[in-house]
Amino acid sequence: DAGITQSPRHKVTETGTPVTLRCHQTENHRYMYWYRQDPGHGLRLIHYSYGVKDTDKGEVSDGYSVSRSKTEDFLLTLESATSSQTSVYFCAISELSREQYFGPGTRLTVT
Amino acid sequence: GNSVTQMEGPVTLSEEAFLTINCTYTATGYPSLFWYVQYPGEGLQLLLKATKADDKGSNKGFEATYRKETTSFHLEKGSVQVSDSAVYFCALSHNNNAGNMLTFGGGTRLMVKP
């Protein structure tokens, strides 16, 4: 299995609070991705990174920001959580022209 | 833009039944195609892939053939087991500066009964 961990694995937070999710890899892969998974929508890309300090928006980026200060860590921040951001969040990694490997997921509930 | 459509579930089968999960796609160029599987409480795992037309991906008894003429990548297995119960996602990819960008279908839940 690819070395990808996500923390926390579960979180419950209140509307309006900031939340940061962490993805950590030990594979030294260049590309990292954040997805959210919701019933009927499959996985949708939030943000991605193609190198340290190089990030870009995905399909559903509103309300989210990311940072990548070193190869192994990719952080996803919800500046002010809303109930619509209740979801399961997955991190993935890849190298160019190769498949993506996924982390175990973080279940976030915003009350 | 790119899109993937797969049959809605849940699909409920008895053990040893034949499985087909349909997947069709819309894409420009020549994407690679994937099937991922998600077991309860886990992340997605790559099940199989095909990178060009007429390629057949296979793994753990599952197969799918890249059909460019019908823009399809249907997943099949001859004899399912209870342990195959999971959610299956069809996806396509194209390369850009973001590496391997994936577009997913909505997922199909498979339930196999003993």
Side-chain angles (χ1 to χ4, degrees):
Chain A
D1 290 344
I4 312 170
T5 56
Q6 294 184 230
S7 58
R9 294 292 314 278
H10 302 272
K11 185 171 183 66
V12 179
T13 192
E14 294 184 349
T15 298
T17 59
V19 176
T20 295
L21 309 183
R22 179 183 185 234
C23 177
H24 179 78
Q25 61 148 327
T26 58
E27 305 297 321
N28 202 35
H29 282 9
R30 177 181 175 186
Y31 302 94
M32 298 186 76
Y33 312 83
W34 276 108
Y35 292 89
R36 60 179 289 171
Q37 182 180 25
D38 304 291
H41 290 277
L43 274 75
R44 292 179 292 175
L45 183 66
I46 304 172
H47 280 279
Y48 60 93
S49 170
Y50 48 97
V52 173
K53 298 193 189 316
D54 291 324
T55 65
D56 206 346
K57 297 178 180 180
E59 176 187 0
V60 290
S61 60
D62 287 350
Y64 302 94
S65 63
V66 291
S67 66
R68 190 167 179 202
S69 59
K70 45 187 177 178
T71 299
E72 57 266 36
D73 288 328
F74 192 33
L75 304 180
L76 177 70
T77 297
L78 291 66
E79 300 292 346
S80 177
T82 67
S83 58
S84 64
Q85 293 175 312
T86 292
S87 187
V88 181
Y89 291 86
F90 287 99
C91 174
I93 64 174
S94 77
E95 286 293 350
L96 187 63
S97 299
R98 297 198 182 273
E99 57 269 20
Q100 292 184 16
Y101 297 96
F102 285 80
T106 295
R107 183 174 296 277
L108 176 67
T109 302
V110 183
T111 61
Chain B
N2 298 332
S3 67
V4 176
T5 302
Q6 56 183 110
M7 60 191 294
E8 291 190 19
V11 174
T12 303
L13 297 174
S14 298
E15 205 165 24
E16 298 184 1
F18 185 86
L19 168 71
T20 300
I21 300 178
N22 291 335
C23 171
T24 57
Y25 68 90
T26 302
T28 55
Y30 302 94
S32 294
L33 301 174
F34 304 84
W35 277 101
Y36 281 84
V37 58
Q38 184 180 31
Y39 298 103
E42 299 183 9
L44 277 69
Q45 301 175 25
L46 179 66
L47 181 60
L48 54 84
K49 67 178 181 180
T51 58
K52 60 183 186 296
D54 299 325
D55 267 2
K56 177 185 285 187
S58 61
N59 186 26
K60 300 180 181 179
F62 291 89
E63 294 182 342
T65 300
Y66 190 149
R67 300 287 188 199
K68 193 171 188 304
E69 64 276 13
T70 55
T71 62
S72 64
F73 193 54
H74 305 322
L75 182 68
E76 296 182 336
K77 186 175 186 183
S79 176
V80 294
Q81 305 301 312
V82 172
S83 58
D84 294 326
S85 298
V87 181
Y88 293 82
F89 292 94
C90 185
L92 66 82
S93 78
H94 56 95
N95 292 331
N96 59 16
N97 67 337
N100 229 11
M101 296 286 283
L102 288 178
T103 300
F104 286 89
T108 302
R109 181 176 301 277
L110 170 65
M111 300 172 60
V112 181
K113 297 184 175 181

